[in-house]
Structure formats: structure tokens, C-alpha cells
Amino acid sequence: MKKTKFLAAGLIAAMMVPAVAQAQTRDIREDRRDVREERREYRDAVRYGDRGDVREERREYRDAKRDLRDSKRDWRRDTRYQNYRAPFRYQQFRVGATLRSNYYAPAYRPAWDSRWGVPRAGRNLTYVRHYNDLLLVNMRSGKVVRVYRNHFRWR
């Protein structure tokens, strides 16, 4: 009976983690939209408004940027503390290094590359998490194309 309850609780928890990640991603997307909108309103105030309008729009634009920065920081903090363990020791990779295929197995390829503020992976490229580093890897050859050091560390 206890095993059944434990298993059910584990399944519920496993289903909740992606929902939380999606909610955080949605927040970041909305904050980016708000920053664009506030920047547009600030530019219009500079062109056509008086000092009071400019001051108010500058303050709102600054607040929108702060909200975006906080959302990104929260997302990075939450992804850092997820239970991430690699079956191999940390090694500092450089551009041009060749990885073995188990280094870029699907378990280490996060599906959400647009949330980190890095360009989308192109054709035959994928992002790979290696401890706190983010590697852009050519899937055909295993060559490292780009390295983002300490990308997942808490900021």
C-alpha cells in the first residue's frame, strides 16, 4: 500500500515539473513582449511628449527590463537546482573538441534552447548540457561548435 502511494506521489511530481517550466517560459515570453512595448512607448514619449511623459515612460521601461531580468534569473535558479547528474566527470571542452556520442545523448539535450538567450540550434546542431556549461554540438561529427561556460550557474 505504501509503495502505491509513493509511486502515485512520484508520478504527480514528475508531471508537475514540466508545467512549472512552461509557466516560467510563458512569463519570460510575456516579459520580453512587455519590454518591447515599453521601449516603443518610451521612444514615442521622447519624440512627442513632454518631460513628465518621458520620465514616466523611462521608469516603466526600466521596470519592464527589471521584471525580465528577474524572470530569467528565477528560471536559471530553478533549472540549476534540478537533479542533474552526468555519468562522467566534468571536463572543460573547447571549440573544435570531439565528443563521444554518449555526451550528447538525448538525456543531455535540453528541448528548450530559446529560453537561454542563445541563438536557436541550426540544422544538425544541438545544445548539450555538460554540468553548468552549455555546448553547441554538431550531431553528425560530434564537434563542439560553441561553448557557453557557467551558463547554468546561479546568478
Side-chain angles (χ1 to χ4, degrees):
M1 189 67 174
K2 286 185 178 182
K3 283 186 179 182
T4 308
K5 288 181 181 179
F6 184 71
L7 181 62
L11 288 173
I12 291 171
M15 290 169 51
M16 293 300 290
V17 170
V20 171
Q22 285 178 345
Q24 288 175 334
T25 304
R26 193 176 322 113
D27 290 343
I28 291 173
R29 218 173 311 140
E30 289 173 1
D31 287 343
R32 281 186 182 140
R33 189 191 65 227
D34 290 344
V35 166
R36 284 192 304 267
E37 183 179 320
E38 291 299 335
R39 183 184 317 136
R40 202 171 321 138
E41 290 177 5
Y42 173 63
R43 287 178 184 161
D44 288 345
V46 168
R47 285 186 194 128
Y48 308 114
D50 61 1
R51 282 185 181 177
D53 292 339
V54 171
R55 190 175 304 123
E56 181 179 339
E57 291 301 331
R58 183 183 307 130
R59 188 177 312 116
E60 289 179 7
Y61 177 48
R62 193 178 311 132
D63 289 344
K65 288 193 311 186
R66 185 180 307 119
D67 290 343
L68 175 61
R69 189 173 50 245
D70 291 345
S71 295
K72 285 181 178 180
R73 185 196 64 227
D74 292 344
W75 182 84
R76 282 191 177 119
R77 182 194 65 225
D78 292 344
T79 56
R80 177 179 186 245
Y81 290 114
Q82 287 178 357
N83 191 9
Y84 174 77
R85 292 189 182 130
F88 32 78
R89 271 187 355 198
Y90 176 76
Q91 177 182 350
Q92 201 172 55
F93 289 105
R94 294 183 179 182
V95 173
T98 303
L99 300 179
R100 293 188 311 245
S101 61
N102 63 338
Y103 274 79
Y104 55 95
Y108 308 110
R109 283 189 262 164
W112 52 77
D113 54 278
S114 63
R115 291 184 251 176
W116 298 312
V118 296
R120 270 193 135 6
R123 190 173 192 187
N124 297 322
L125 298 174
T126 186
Y127 282 106
V128 175
R129 181 173 180 177
H130 181 65
Y131 289 84
N132 284 342
D133 295 344
L134 183 64
L135 310 172
L136 182 61
V137 178
N138 184 327
M139 288 178 26
R140 287 186 173 176
S141 65
K143 296 262 187 203
V144 176
V145 177
R146 181 89 194 257
V147 177
Y148 298 92
R149 301 230 184 270
N150 291 321
H151 196 74
F152 290 100
R153 75 164 198 220
W154 185 75
R155 299 176 198 261

